[in-house]
Amino acid sequence: VSKQGFGALVAHFCNIAISTVIEGIIENANQCEWYLICYVMDTTFGTLLCYIMLRMVEAVVQKYCVGCCGNGDFMKQMFETGEYSGSGMAKYKLWISQLSLWLVIVLISKGILFGIYSDPVVAKFLNDIFRTVLRPVAYSPELELLMVMIFIPTAGNAMCFWIADNFLMSDNDTNENKN
């Protein structure tokens, strides 16, 4: 869960930055609406992108690096998410390596999604949809902010963390939970 928390924190600050940039380049854009757009896209398409990229990295490491990159066992463990065999510093290094990989994947996902948002047609389409979604609370900026920053993310994070936990957890952890 800690890797997910760091990833969510990085995504949160990226979403703030992206919503600020979008507000400056798209006519009638609202930073609050764009934060929600970024957030919803993260918990849907972003999660899928992260999953695909993680599996691609694991496949590449498995095929090309294990056995040829000096300490193949460490390389393999480094990319087996949720596996922290060893003790002391070795365990810490594995966790840091996996966290670093996860944060790079999150940032790449954010970049891909930003590229999609930057298209004027897509941006207008998303802007119109989310303006409609937030219309019931648009009369109150405070309520709109609560919806965008607290209520909707709480529900979305619960779903997203559960999904991501299933693909970040090691297979051994999954099998132990089933028994």
Short mmCIF file of all heavy atoms in Angstrom, two decimals, residues 75-97:
data_model
loop_
_atom_site.label_atom_id
_atom_site.label_comp_id
_atom_site.label_asym_id
_atom_site.label_seq_id
_atom_site.Cartn_x
_atom_site.Cartn_y
_atom_site.Cartn_z
N MET A 75 18.17 -8.40 -9.98
CA MET A 75 17.37 -7.75 -11.04
C MET A 75 15.97 -8.34 -11.07
O MET A 75 14.99 -7.61 -11.17
CB MET A 75 18.04 -7.93 -12.41
CG MET A 75 19.26 -7.08 -12.63
SD MET A 75 18.89 -5.31 -12.65
CE MET A 75 17.99 -5.19 -14.18
N LYS A 76 15.88 -9.66 -10.99
CA LYS A 76 14.58 -10.30 -11.02
C LYS A 76 13.75 -9.87 -9.82
O LYS A 76 12.58 -9.50 -9.95
CB LYS A 76 14.73 -11.82 -11.04
CG LYS A 76 13.41 -12.55 -11.18
CD LYS A 76 13.61 -14.04 -11.25
CE LYS A 76 12.26 -14.71 -11.34
NZ LYS A 76 12.30 -16.10 -10.99
N GLN A 77 14.34 -9.89 -8.63
CA GLN A 77 13.61 -9.49 -7.43
C GLN A 77 13.23 -8.01 -7.47
O GLN A 77 12.17 -7.62 -6.98
CB GLN A 77 14.45 -9.75 -6.18
CG GLN A 77 14.59 -11.19 -5.83
CD GLN A 77 15.51 -11.39 -4.63
OE1 GLN A 77 16.34 -10.55 -4.33
NE2 GLN A 77 15.35 -12.51 -3.97
N MET A 78 14.09 -7.21 -8.06
CA MET A 78 13.84 -5.78 -8.11
C MET A 78 12.54 -5.48 -8.86
O MET A 78 11.85 -4.52 -8.55
CB MET A 78 15.01 -5.07 -8.80
CG MET A 78 14.97 -3.58 -8.71
SD MET A 78 16.54 -2.89 -9.26
CE MET A 78 16.11 -2.39 -10.90
N PHE A 79 12.22 -6.31 -9.84
CA PHE A 79 11.04 -6.06 -10.64
C PHE A 79 9.88 -7.00 -10.33
O PHE A 79 8.89 -7.01 -11.04
CB PHE A 79 11.40 -6.11 -12.13
CG PHE A 79 12.31 -4.98 -12.52
CD1 PHE A 79 13.66 -5.19 -12.70
CD2 PHE A 79 11.82 -3.70 -12.67
CE1 PHE A 79 14.51 -4.15 -13.05
CE2 PHE A 79 12.66 -2.65 -13.01
CZ PHE A 79 14.00 -2.88 -13.20
N GLU A 80 9.99 -7.79 -9.29
CA GLU A 80 8.88 -8.62 -8.83
C GLU A 80 8.19 -7.84 -7.72
O GLU A 80 8.56 -7.93 -6.55
CB GLU A 80 9.36 -9.98 -8.33
CG GLU A 80 9.74 -10.91 -9.44
CD GLU A 80 10.16 -12.28 -8.91
OE1 GLU A 80 10.07 -12.53 -7.69
OE2 GLU A 80 10.57 -13.09 -9.74
N THR A 81 7.19 -7.08 -8.08
CA THR A 81 6.56 -6.19 -7.12
C THR A 81 6.00 -6.95 -5.93
O THR A 81 5.44 -8.03 -6.07
CB THR A 81 5.43 -5.37 -7.76
OG1 THR A 81 4.44 -6.26 -8.25
CG2 THR A 81 5.95 -4.52 -8.90
N GLY A 82 6.23 -6.39 -4.77
CA GLY A 82 5.73 -6.99 -3.54
C GLY A 82 6.66 -8.03 -2.95
O GLY A 82 6.41 -8.53 -1.86
N GLU A 83 7.73 -8.39 -3.65
CA GLU A 83 8.70 -9.37 -3.15
C GLU A 83 9.86 -8.63 -2.51
O GLU A 83 10.53 -7.84 -3.16
CB GLU A 83 9.23 -10.25 -4.29
CG GLU A 83 8.27 -11.30 -4.75
CD GLU A 83 8.06 -12.40 -3.71
OE1 GLU A 83 8.97 -12.71 -2.93
OE2 GLU A 83 6.95 -12.95 -3.69
N TYR A 84 10.12 -8.91 -1.24
CA TYR A 84 11.22 -8.26 -0.52
C TYR A 84 12.04 -9.30 0.22
O TYR A 84 12.25 -9.20 1.41
CB TYR A 84 10.68 -7.22 0.47
CG TYR A 84 9.65 -6.30 -0.11
CD1 TYR A 84 8.34 -6.33 0.34
CD2 TYR A 84 9.98 -5.41 -1.11
CE1 TYR A 84 7.39 -5.50 -0.20
CE2 TYR A 84 9.04 -4.56 -1.66
CZ TYR A 84 7.74 -4.61 -1.20
OH TYR A 84 6.81 -3.78 -1.74
N SER A 85 12.48 -10.33 -0.49
CA SER A 85 13.24 -11.37 0.20
C SER A 85 14.60 -10.81 0.62
O SER A 85 15.08 -9.83 0.09
CB SER A 85 13.42 -12.59 -0.70
OG SER A 85 14.08 -12.24 -1.88
N GLY A 86 15.18 -11.44 1.57
CA GLY A 86 16.43 -10.95 2.13
C GLY A 86 16.13 -10.25 3.44
O GLY A 86 15.04 -10.34 3.99
N SER A 87 17.11 -9.54 3.93
CA SER A 87 16.90 -8.84 5.19
C SER A 87 17.67 -7.54 5.18
O SER A 87 18.54 -7.32 4.34
CB SER A 87 17.35 -9.71 6.37
OG SER A 87 18.73 -9.97 6.25
N GLY A 88 17.37 -6.69 6.12
CA GLY A 88 18.09 -5.44 6.31
C GLY A 88 18.13 -4.57 5.08
O GLY A 88 17.11 -4.28 4.47
N MET A 89 19.34 -4.16 4.70
CA MET A 89 19.53 -3.22 3.61
C MET A 89 19.05 -3.79 2.28
O MET A 89 18.51 -3.06 1.45
CB MET A 89 21.00 -2.81 3.53
CG MET A 89 21.26 -1.67 2.56
SD MET A 89 20.26 -0.19 2.92
CE MET A 89 21.28 0.60 4.12
N ALA A 90 19.22 -5.07 2.03
CA ALA A 90 18.79 -5.68 0.77
C ALA A 90 17.29 -5.51 0.60
O ALA A 90 16.81 -5.18 -0.50
CB ALA A 90 19.17 -7.15 0.73
N LYS A 91 16.54 -5.72 1.65
CA LYS A 91 15.08 -5.56 1.62
C LYS A 91 14.72 -4.11 1.31
O LYS A 91 13.84 -3.83 0.50
CB LYS A 91 14.52 -5.98 2.97
CG LYS A 91 13.17 -6.58 2.95
CD LYS A 91 12.83 -7.08 4.34
CE LYS A 91 11.80 -8.15 4.24
NZ LYS A 91 11.40 -8.69 5.51
N TYR A 92 15.41 -3.19 1.96
CA TYR A 92 15.18 -1.76 1.76
C TYR A 92 15.48 -1.36 0.32
O TYR A 92 14.73 -0.62 -0.30
CB TYR A 92 16.05 -0.99 2.75
CG TYR A 92 15.98 0.50 2.61
CD1 TYR A 92 14.86 1.21 3.02
CD2 TYR A 92 17.05 1.21 2.07
CE1 TYR A 92 14.80 2.59 2.90
CE2 TYR A 92 17.01 2.58 1.95
CZ TYR A 92 15.88 3.27 2.37
OH TYR A 92 15.83 4.62 2.23
N LYS A 93 16.59 -1.87 -0.23
CA LYS A 93 16.97 -1.55 -1.61
C LYS A 93 15.92 -2.06 -2.60
O LYS A 93 15.61 -1.38 -3.58
CB LYS A 93 18.33 -2.14 -1.95
CG LYS A 93 19.49 -1.39 -1.34
CD LYS A 93 20.81 -2.05 -1.72
CE LYS A 93 21.98 -1.34 -1.09
NZ LYS A 93 23.26 -1.99 -1.42
N LEU A 94 15.41 -3.25 -2.34
CA LEU A 94 14.36 -3.79 -3.22
C LEU A 94 13.12 -2.89 -3.19
O LEU A 94 12.54 -2.58 -4.23
CB LEU A 94 14.00 -5.22 -2.82
CG LEU A 94 15.01 -6.29 -3.18
CD1 LEU A 94 14.61 -7.63 -2.57
CD2 LEU A 94 15.13 -6.41 -4.69
N TRP A 95 12.71 -2.50 -1.99
CA TRP A 95 11.52 -1.66 -1.86
C TRP A 95 11.73 -0.32 -2.56
O TRP A 95 10.87 0.14 -3.30
CB TRP A 95 11.17 -1.45 -0.38
CG TRP A 95 9.90 -0.68 -0.21
CD1 TRP A 95 8.63 -1.18 -0.22
CD2 TRP A 95 9.77 0.74 -0.03
NE1 TRP A 95 7.72 -0.16 -0.05
CE2 TRP A 95 8.39 1.02 0.06
CE3 TRP A 95 10.68 1.79 0.07
CZ2 TRP A 95 7.90 2.31 0.25
CZ3 TRP A 95 10.19 3.08 0.24
CH2 TRP A 95 8.82 3.32 0.33
N ILE A 96 12.88 0.32 -2.36
CA ILE A 96 13.20 1.60 -3.00
C ILE A 96 13.21 1.44 -4.52
O ILE A 96 12.69 2.28 -5.25
CB ILE A 96 14.55 2.17 -2.50
CG1 ILE A 96 14.42 2.63 -1.05
CG2 ILE A 96 15.04 3.31 -3.38
CD1 ILE A 96 13.53 3.84 -0.84
N SER A 97 13.80 0.35 -5.01
CA SER A 97 13.84 0.10 -6.46
C SER A 97 12.44 -0.05 -7.02
O SER A 97 12.12 0.52 -8.06
CB SER A 97 14.65 -1.17 -6.75
OG SER A 97 15.96 -1.03 -6.31
#
